[in-house]
Each structure stands twice: as structure tokens, then as C-alpha cells.
Amino acid sequence: MGDEFVYSPSAKQEKKVPDRTDSAINSSADYWATAVTENPLNRLRLLDAKLARPGVDVESIKARAGELIRELGAAKVLTDPDCVGLVRQLFGQRGVDRLRERAKETA
């Protein structure tokens, strides 16, 4: 005994969701390119963002952060909580204490 109804194929057309990964990557790269030129402290923030990625060479970031800190000056770095957090993450509390000492010396 068959079914008296005729059914259409049940395969539905799936809507393709556009992959926006490339546009997100380009948008992020554009943001950092302009942010780094607008404010020198953003270069340290960029290093902080790079440090959050898995598999990053921490020693190269540590060396670059040291160069930027010397270039910007201890007092300016201490004004930004994000940069202080990066210093603490890379160099520990001793690094933050040394920054405070250098800021007092130059003031």
C-alpha cells in the first residue's frame, strides 16, 4: 500500500553565510595602522594585543616594549593603565617599580 500523496524533495536550499573573516582582519589592520600613528602609546597597546595571541615570541615583544618605553619615557607610560599592565606582564612588579623610580628621577 503506497501513500497517495506525492512529496517534494526535502532537501532545502541552505543560505550561505558570507565569511567576514577577511574583512574583519582588514578592518583590524586599518585600525591599528591609524591608531599607531595617532598616539605613541598605541604602539605599546599593539604589543599588548600581539602578546594575547597564542604562539607569540614573548622575548621579541619584550625587547620591542623596552625600546618603546625608553623612547616614550617612564612618566608617559605610567599615565596609561593598559601600558602599566603590559609592563607588569612582561617585567613583573619590579619593572613597574623601576618605571616609577625613573619617572621620579626625571621629574
Side-chain angles (χ1 to χ4, degrees), residues 6-72:
V6 178
Y7 297 100
S8 60
S10 62
K12 294 181 179 179
Q13 294 289 335
E14 291 185 19
K15 292 184 179 179
K16 287 190 174 182
V17 178
D19 185 20
R20 295 188 281 177
T21 305
D22 291 336
S23 66
I25 290 171
N26 292 335
S27 174
S28 178
D30 291 342
Y31 166 76
W32 281 113
T34 57
V36 166
T37 58
E38 290 174 354
N39 185 357
L41 287 175
N42 284 340
R43 292 185 281 174
L44 282 173
R45 291 185 188 124
L46 176 61
L47 288 179
D48 192 21
K50 286 182 178 180
L51 190 62
R53 294 179 182 172
V56 174
D57 183 21
V58 177
E59 291 303 316
S60 66
I61 290 180
K62 198 178 211 182
R64 182 67 182 135
E67 292 171 7
L68 288 173
I69 290 168
R70 284 188 291 277
E71 180 183 325
L72 294 171

